[in-house]
Amino acid sequence: MTALDRWRDFIKSHDRGALWDLLHPNVVFESPVVHTPQRGREITFKYLASAGKVLGSPGFKYVGEWRSDNGAVLEFENEIEGIRINGVDIITFNDDGSLITHFKVMVRPLKAINLLHRLMGEQLARA
C-alpha cells in the first residue's frame, strides 16, 4: 500500500495512529495561513489531525488528482458555515513511496482561508 493509499484511508478513518505512521520523521508542513514551514513529525501531525477534524465532515471530497513519480496534487472541496472551500493538498513522498515527506495546503477563496484560520486556531488550541 502506497503512502497515497494510506492517506486516503486516513481521510476516511481519521485514525490518528495511522496518520502518525504515515509521516516521515523530518516531514515539512506548509499551511495556507502560517508564514513559515513547520518541520517535523510532531507539529505536522498536530496540524493534519486538527485539519481532519475541521475539514473532515461528510461534505469533504477530493474532486481532482494529479500524480508524479514522487507526489500527488489532490484538489478538494467542502462547505463549512455556508462558505464553499476549494483547495489542494500537494503531497511529496519518500523514494519508495511509503511516507509523506512534504505536505503543502493551498486554499481559496479568501473567505475560506479566513474561516479555516479561525477554525484551525480554535482546534489547535484544544489539541
Side-chain angles (χ1 to χ4, degrees), residues 24-110:
H24 188 278
N26 298 319
V27 64
V28 175
F29 177 76
E30 293 186 72
S31 163
V33 297
V34 177
H35 177 67
T36 57
Q38 305 299 298
R39 300 181 185 283
R41 181 186 281 159
E42 193 168 310
I43 190 68
T44 299
F45 174 82
K46 188 174 181 179
Y47 273 97
L48 291 176
S50 294
K53 290 182 179 180
V54 168
L55 284 165
S57 68
F60 180 90
K61 63 183 173 184
Y62 283 118
V63 296
E65 180 175 313
W66 300 267
R67 295 186 192 188
S68 69
D69 290 341
N70 69 332
V73 177
L74 305 174
E75 181 182 9
F76 63 86
E77 292 180 350
N78 200 352
E79 186 172 314
I80 300 174
E81 296 183 10
I83 296 174
R84 185 167 174 238
I85 300 167
N86 175 239
V88 293
D89 293 332
I90 304 169
I91 307 170
T92 306
F93 309 109
N94 64 346
D95 289 339
D96 69 6
S98 64
L99 297 174
I100 293 174
T101 58
H102 192 228
F103 201 108
K104 182 189 296 185
V105 181
M106 300 177 79
V107 174
R108 62 166 300 279
L110 181 58

Side-chain angles (χ1 to χ4, degrees), residues 14-32:
H14 300 282
D15 178 344
R16 294 169 58 91
L19 175 60
W20 180 265
D21 292 342
L22 181 56
L23 300 175
H24 188 278
N26 298 319
V27 64
V28 175
F29 177 76
E30 293 186 72
S31 163

